Amino acid sequence: MEILGTLWSTFFDLESMRAALPELLRVGLSNTLVLALFSALIGTVLGMVLAVCGLSRSRWLRWPARVWTDVFRGLPAAVTILLIGVGLAPVGLELWGPNPYPLGILALSLIASAYIGEIFRSGIQSVEAGQLEAARALGFSRPAGMRLVVIPQGVRRVLPALVNQFISLIKDSSLVYFLGLLATQRDLFRIGQDAAANTGNESALVLAGLFYLVITVPLTHAVNAIDRRLREGRRPDANDHDDSELPPLALAQEAR
């Protein structure tokens, strides 16, 4: 019982949590969301470019995409953040001053793009070859068939894996503290870590972890619900002739 009491007072002390809560809400949560959202957006765009280049017939597009993916998937996230954050620090100082966030976002985006590119590539390759062939038979060019028929189906198939990568990105955002953060720039993890170091109690760090759960768990359940809805569709209505019920090739043909 004494051991349980020690664990509870060390990791679940309500007073320590209450003291850290305002700063976690006011500073840490917003900074974490900024890092994760911008990195996810940039990483998704770069990942789609990598996926398309990786599937290209041209080796001049395929091999650079392969090298990019291997490098940023192979390096530890902390090493990538330090290489970019420290290596490009002089450029960052000239462009936007001492704020480390742009370089941190750049590093996280490059890491995310390598994983997201592989996710997109696997999703696109999982689409039956007959889909593109049917699109070509309808008069679409290969790029148009990929853009309007194959890629939308591939993205839908990898939606859960894509959200899992976003969740990993939210957690990896805590590594930006390696670049040095001002008091107003700290994320959830850094605030919890500082509070734990100052008080000798780990409860604030546990509370920061609970914030990560609050962000990621609903996101997981939401994407599972969306994926289930996309797979099952909705019950047909005799009076409903929504274009969303048309097959992908019909939608693509209407888009021409």
Side-chain angles (χ1 to χ4, degrees), residues 62-155:
R62 191 171 62 253
W63 280 104
R66 185 73 262 169
V67 171
W68 177 301
T69 301
D70 288 343
V71 168
F72 287 109
R73 287 181 69 191
L75 286 175
V79 173
T80 302
I81 291 172
L82 284 173
L83 285 174
I84 294 176
V86 176
L88 298 180
V91 178
L93 286 173
E94 292 182 4
L95 293 178
W96 49 72
N99 187 355
Y101 270 20
L103 291 178
I105 290 172
L106 175 60
L108 291 172
S109 300
L110 296 179
I111 297 168
S113 68
Y115 289 95
I116 293 174
E118 285 297 281
I119 292 172
F120 281 151
R121 186 173 67 85
S122 64
I124 294 170
Q125 288 181 320
S126 71
V127 178
E128 296 76 8
Q131 292 287 321
L132 182 58
E133 293 172 0
R136 296 295 300 273
L138 290 174
F140 289 91
S141 64
R142 177 181 170 83
M146 291 290 294
R147 178 171 54 88
L148 296 173
V149 178
V150 178
I151 290 178
Q153 294 183 72
V155 171

Side-chain angles (χ1 to χ4, degrees), residues 32-33 36-37 40 159-171 210-228:
T32 295
L33 290 177
L37 288 175
L159 188 59
L162 191 61
V163 174
N164 286 337
Q165 182 55 42
F166 291 158
I167 291 173
S168 298
L169 186 59
I170 292 172
K171 294 183 291 185
L210 294 177
F211 270 92
Y212 284 103
L213 287 177
V214 169
I215 297 171
T216 58
V217 171
L219 184 62
T220 302
H221 288 288
V223 76
N224 287 339
I226 294 172
D227 181 61
R228 186 166 56 252

